[in-house]
Amino acid sequence: MNLQDSVASLKGVGKKRLPLLEKLHIETIEDLLRFFPRRYEDRRQAVPIMTAPIGKEVLIIGTVMSKQMVGSPYNRRRLLKVQIEDNTGSLELLFFNGKFLESYFKAGEKMTFFGKITLNNGRRQMAHPEFHKLGDAKDVRGLLPVYPLTEGLTQANLRAWQQQARGAIGQITEWLPLELVETHHLCSPAYAIEQIHFPQEERPVLESRYRLIFEELLILQTGLFYMKHGASDVKKGVRFAKEADVEPFLSSFPFQLTAGQARCWHEIERDLESARPMNRLIQGDVGSGKTILAFLIMAKFAHEGYQTAIMAPTEVLARQHYETFQEWIAMFELDFPVILLTGSLTAKEKREAYARMETEQNAMIIGTHALIQEKALYQKLALVVTDEQHRFGVRQRETLADKSSRLPHVLVMSATPIPRTLAIILYGDLDISVVDELPAERLPVKNCVVGPKMREKSWNFILDEVQKGHQAYIICPLVEANEELELQDVTSYVKKLEQYYGDRISVGLLHGKMRPAEKNKVMEAFVTGEIQVLVSTTVVEVGVNVPNATVMMIEDAQRFGLAQLHQLRGRVGRGNAQSYCILMNSSNGKNAKERLNILAGSNDGFYIASEDLKMRGPGDFFGVRQSGLMEFKIADVFSDADMLSIASEEAKEYVVKCNLNDCEKDMRLETTLKNAYKMTEYNTNI
Ligand code: ADP
Ligand code: MG
């Protein structure tokens, strides 16, 4: 087997599973070997029931004592309880909806169980453990890797494929410069990959992780560094006359800029006066008012006769910006063309947009990824803005900038609360402005964490708000019902709500699987108030601005990350009325409650991010924490922050050493760059 062979050659990878692997960016054997486990299950040894740690995954060997179906025989979701024992104590196993499992358990039989033990009134319980007959072929012992999977694939699939690919590991050779390997005491890549998939002990896993994290961060940093400094600098910045002034329209605003916005605006103005093109990141919590800043600067450029473009991560958001911009243009009695370019336009509309982009030299162009497609050609593009930058790859931002025949000004807007030190590394030489306050008349959102028993009460509360003329969002994690996951889905939820409210409220449905045109229609109906309660998946998470909405209710809130919940909550509290966020917690876990309470206790995105970090800790040995900030294969920008700065330094030297001008000839650097591009392309979270 060769590293470059397709994974299609593996046993068990057929027509059905190949696309699933592609979804995980696994095409070759090497891709597979470089697909790393997120954590390990320690199944090396069974632990006694009485001394097993509570709340951690453990392996138990016990004898089945008794079993019992609980609940009415007419209820399909009846609970199966199985009592087991070892010579230290007894444990109760719970299987919800467990009728079909009943026949697997026979009194007197010795079995193995893997799961988390919880304490319930002093009784030890384990819900839905994995179980096998003792000595069964599937009763595998050892440190078992757990891979981040996609639907349709199982851990067993991945483990089996890694075994098949194992023979090719020897072909992986060192590609880092020897000095780097020595200075940082890195193990060889072949050893690292062997250990990461097939570990016997903990220490080698740590060594391997160290090597692989270093490698990954170095690749990223080299790529970023090269993109910034290696790109041609023939392009010249567009210079601006200093007197070009937006003060006249600032004074006719319905609101005053906040002090934070004003400071940011001055920083932008200073950038424009300097000889260097602007390269600025505006960081501001949700609702801090970043859009208006983008508008102001784009208007300033339009006034000078230059084109500008703003790229948003979703159709919904692009359309909303388009409408807002048109409103503002009318309000300030300006006369600049505004062009919308998104994937859902008809072919004819697209052609029209392209034609206008080529002729209207002072247009403000608003769009999605469609802005960076080949057919999109610009005239005098002098400024590019990316909104909600964390949703884009670095590469996409660069591509938009490359659309200009000169070196354009770049403005990046993000609500992701990244600590400054990290931002400097991740965004390289972007200057950073922070919009650190919300508009003054905003009332802080009132939060509560409740259980499903309060669902009806919450619906009544929403009814009250709607009758006062407001609107509400209800978020569910799933699009459609899923047998295995006991979570709310938008499709059945809408039906339940419609039944409950009758014709007192108009309910709308929105999710990512709908066609863009459909999504737009729903969003527009919500904006105009035609839809009063919008039941949606997290597609409304970024950017959406409907100030009349005052309630955000999130079902199965414990399933979402804190940062994501904060973004969702940011959809309300955007107007002058009091807003509310109802976090519906459907789990009994202590941890879930604690996490949600952090969110309920504060509306400050930076604080929430840091608390979240503290709670999850730097990640213990077996668990690799997911910051949700960047989709690394193995590294984590928070817990590996120190290594990130080392890698950043090394990357700079590395690029210089390989000699920038010759770098295309240098094989090693070329490989690095290829990897870096690949990484930044699918890394939608930078
Ligand atoms: P975000 O920073 O999350 O992108 P937006 O730009 O969407 O926030 O702004 C949120 C809301 O606040 C919008 O309705 C916007 O019109 C309003 N807004 C922005 N700046 C101010 C201000 N200085 N005073 C009052 N309202 C403002
Ligand atoms: Mg925004």
Side-chain angles (χ1 to χ4, degrees):
M1 194 176 299
N2 242 310
L3 284 176
Q4 295 320 314
D5 289 352
S6 159
V7 279
S9 60
L10 294 172
K11 249 189 285 159
V13 180
K15 272 208 191 81
K16 215 179 84 210
R17 295 201 179 109
L18 196 60
L20 297 177
L21 283 171
E22 268 163 24
K23 217 163 130 192
L24 298 171
H25 309 282
I26 300 174
E27 289 172 17
T28 65
I29 298 295
E30 179 158 15
D31 293 339
L32 178 68
L33 288 169
R34 290 188 179 278
F35 185 74
F36 303 128
R38 191 145 279 168
R39 59 189 188 89
Y40 299 87
E41 286 173 359
D42 189 353
R43 302 200 195 189
R44 287 173 294 185
Q45 262 176 355
V47 291
I49 291 175
M50 272 324 278
T51 55
I54 304 297
K56 275 201 167 151
E57 287 181 326
V58 287
L59 184 72
I60 301 282
I61 299 181
T63 308
V64 176
M65 305 309 289
S66 63
K67 60 182 172 181
Q68 183 193 1
M69 289 302 303
V70 188
S72 145
Y74 300 108
N75 182 354
R76 276 202 308 124
R77 311 188 52 78
R78 279 196 304 160
L79 173 68
L80 168 65
K81 280 187 180 175
V82 178
Q83 203 69 33
I84 64 157
E85 254 180 43
D86 67 6
N87 50 20
T88 67
S90 69
L91 178 66
E92 188 171 59
L93 310 176
L94 307 173
F95 298 91
F96 295 95
N97 202 4
K99 179 76 188 149
F100 72 106
L101 292 175
E102 200 183 350
S103 61
Y104 285 88
F105 300 98
K106 298 195 177 64
E109 187 159 38
K110 242 188 183 179
M111 298 178 81
T112 63
F113 305 92
F114 186 78
K116 275 184 197 162
I117 295 184
T118 51
L119 269 185
N120 184 1
N121 288 329
R123 276 212 310 275
R124 279 159 207 268
Q125 296 182 327
M126 196 184 256
H128 291 267
E130 197 188 312
F131 57 87
H132 298 288
K133 283 185 187 158
L134 190 64
D136 186 281
K138 287 188 179 152
D139 179 19
V140 192
R141 295 299 157 79
L143 279 175
L144 295 195
V146 180
Y147 297 92
L149 291 183
T150 184
E151 220 178 296
L153 295 178
T154 64
Q155 296 297 341
N157 289 147
L158 253 288
R159 287 173 194 155
W161 292 332
Q162 295 289 6
Q163 272 299 349
Q164 290 180 51
R166 192 172 185 174
I169 293 180
Q171 298 164 34
I172 296 175
T173 51
E174 184 59 81
W175 60 279
L176 288 173
L178 204 63
E179 313 99 78
L180 268 187
V181 174
E182 278 171 2
T183 321
H184 298 283
H185 309 286
L186 304 176
C187 63
S188 80
Y191 176 82
I193 287 178
E194 168 80 27
Q195 290 300 324
I196 210 87
H197 295 297
F198 312 103
Q200 306 286 330
E201 287 170 69
E202 305 172 13
R203 211 189 138 73
V205 180
L206 288 178
E207 281 168 13
S208 303
R209 278 180 47 79
Y210 184 81
R211 148 98 207 188
L212 296 169
I213 290 171
F214 186 88
E215 182 177 299
E216 184 169 43
L217 294 175
L218 185 81
I219 289 174
L220 175 79
Q221 288 299 321
T222 310
L224 286 178
F225 190 76
Y226 179 73
M227 274 187 253
K228 273 178 212 122
H229 303 275
S232 72
D233 49 14
V234 241
K235 294 180 181 178
K236 283 266 152 58
V238 191
R239 292 295 301 275
F240 289 87
K242 192 177 169 205
E243 62 277 17
D245 204 1
V246 283
E247 298 309 326
F249 33 103
L250 274 186
S251 57
S252 65
F253 248 44
F255 42 72
Q256 285 233 304
L257 290 188
T258 63
Q261 285 170 320
R263 186 165 11 84
C264 198
W265 176 249
H266 287 304
E267 285 166 354
I268 289 173
E269 279 190 316
R270 239 182 296 135
D271 287 343
L272 298 185
E273 286 162 17
S274 95
R276 215 165 53 99
M278 170 169 73
N279 241 326
R280 186 166 289 280
L281 166 71
I282 298 184
Q283 238 187 16
D285 209 345
V286 279
S288 60
K290 296 182 290 292
T291 319
I292 188 74
L293 289 171
F295 174 79
L296 286 178
I297 174 170
M298 286 169 75
K300 180 164 171 144
F301 276 74
H303 183 69
E304 300 279 320
Y306 289 105
Q307 258 185 3
T308 55
I310 178 167
M311 182 160 68
T314 63
E315 284 265 344
V316 165
L317 192 51
R319 247 166 220 274
Q320 186 184 284
H321 283 342
Y322 178 63
E323 268 142 38
T324 314
F325 275 37
Q326 280 178 319
E327 240 170 68
W328 280 333
I329 289 228
M331 191 191 295
F332 304 138
E333 298 177 2
L334 300 171
D335 188 22
F336 307 134
V338 184
I339 303 174
L340 178 71
L341 180 62
T342 70
S344 74
L345 297 183
T346 62
K348 181 163 164 270
E349 286 168 330
K350 268 186 210 152
R351 270 199 309 277
E352 273 168 22
Y354 292 145
R356 289 183 60 195
M357 283 160 61
E358 286 197 50
T359 50
E360 297 177 3
Q361 302 200 340
N362 64 341
M364 300 162 93
I365 304 163
I366 299 170
T368 52
H369 294 81
L371 291 180
I372 54 179
Q373 259 136 36
E374 244 167 72
K375 283 188 191 150
L377 299 173
Y378 298 77
Q379 281 292 321
K380 287 179 75 174
L381 180 61
L383 163 76
V384 298
V385 184
T386 27
D387 191 16
E388 305 293 348
Q389 168 66 26
H390 63 291
R391 288 303 187 101
F392 290 107
V394 177
R395 195 78 193 291
Q396 289 163 325
R397 161 160 50 101
E398 302 282 323
T399 313
L400 183 56
D402 281 343
K403 286 281 186 181
S404 176
S405 54
R406 309 212 229 160
L407 200 59
H409 296 275
V410 172
L411 190 66
V412 171
M413 305 200 292
S414 172
T416 313
I418 319 170
R420 201 182 174 87
T421 43
L422 271 181
I424 290 170
I425 295 167
L426 292 179
Y427 293 107
D429 42 314
L430 285 186
D431 300 311
I432 301 173
S433 291
V434 182
V435 186
D436 52 6
E437 61 189 304
L438 300 182
E441 67 272 30
R442 293 279 172 77
L443 296 166
V445 176
K446 286 192 178 155
N447 306 295
C448 61
V449 181
V450 297
K453 279 196 196 121
M454 298 290 283
R455 183 169 293 128
E456 255 187 59
K457 232 177 167 177
S458 309
W459 287 352
N460 289 339
F461 179 76
I462 288 176
L463 180 64
D464 273 355
E465 282 292 299
V466 169
Q467 282 168 345
K468 282 187 212 155
H470 296 302
Q471 288 165 281
Y473 299 91
I474 301 181
I475 307 297
C476 304
L478 302 180
V479 175
E480 281 160 2
N482 180 323
E483 277 283 297
E484 282 163 39
L485 299 170
E486 292 186 38
L487 299 174
Q488 301 291 330
D489 68 277
V490 284
T491 317
S492 18
Y493 206 95
V494 162
K495 290 193 191 122
K496 275 187 277 180
L497 263 194
E498 279 172 343
Q499 229 167 38
Y500 189 78
Y501 287 139
D503 47 18
R504 288 179 293 179
I505 284 190
S506 74
V507 177
L509 169 68
L510 186 73
H511 59 74
K513 288 190 182 158
M514 284 160 58
R515 269 193 267 122
E518 269 179 282
K519 271 190 259 176
N520 291 334
K521 232 169 80 195
V522 171
M523 226 26 240
E524 254 152 52
F526 190 59
V527 171
T528 57
E530 207 180 300
I531 291 175
Q532 293 163 307
V533 175
L534 183 62
V535 179
S536 169
T537 56
T538 55
V539 287
V540 296
E541 174 190 336
V542 286
V544 169
N545 185 37
V546 180
N548 190 43
T550 53
V551 186
M552 168 58 73
M553 172 170 171
I554 305 170
E555 288 283 354
D556 301 308
Q558 79 284 352
R559 299 283 301 198
F560 300 100
L562 284 189
Q564 195 177 20
L565 288 170
H566 180 63
Q567 284 283 339
L568 285 167
R569 174 171 63 185
R571 299 312 115 218
V572 297
R574 298 185 147 244
N576 301 340
Q578 178 63 56
S579 289
Y580 306 87
C581 177
I582 304 171
L583 300 160
M584 190 62 73
N585 176 10
S586 63
S587 116
N588 306 320
K590 191 165 144 253
N591 211 314
K593 183 116 204 244
E594 259 174 50
R595 270 181 64 232
L596 293 176
N597 277 335
I598 293 180
L599 200 80
S602 166
N603 287 323
D604 177 343
F606 279 79
Y607 170 77
I608 288 163
S610 69
E611 283 302 298
D612 195 20
L613 199 61
K614 265 191 236 156
M615 250 197 102
R616 288 187 291 175
D620 58 305
F621 167 72
F622 286 115
V624 179
R625 229 174 30 71
Q626 271 293 290
S627 66
L629 201 68
M630 252 191 182
E631 279 170 32
F632 284 114
K633 287 179 178 195
I634 190 162
D636 180 293
V637 282
F638 286 112
S639 50
D640 301 320
D642 291 347
M643 215 191 303
L644 183 61
S645 59
I646 296 172
S648 175
E649 285 308 307
E650 291 291 3
K652 272 180 217 164
E653 259 184 58
Y654 181 45
V655 173
V656 173
K657 222 178 266 164
C658 291
N659 188 352
L660 265 184
N661 300 325
D662 279 342
C663 66
E664 250 73 37
K665 288 184 215 129
D666 188 302
M667 272 293 292
R668 276 190 332 222
L669 185 62
E670 208 180 322
T671 323
T672 315
L673 289 178
K674 246 191 1 231
N675 285 333
Y677 283 156
K678 216 160 145 189
M679 192 155 131
T680 50
E681 221 153 60
Y682 67 74
N683 196 334
T684 53
N685 281 318
I686 299 181

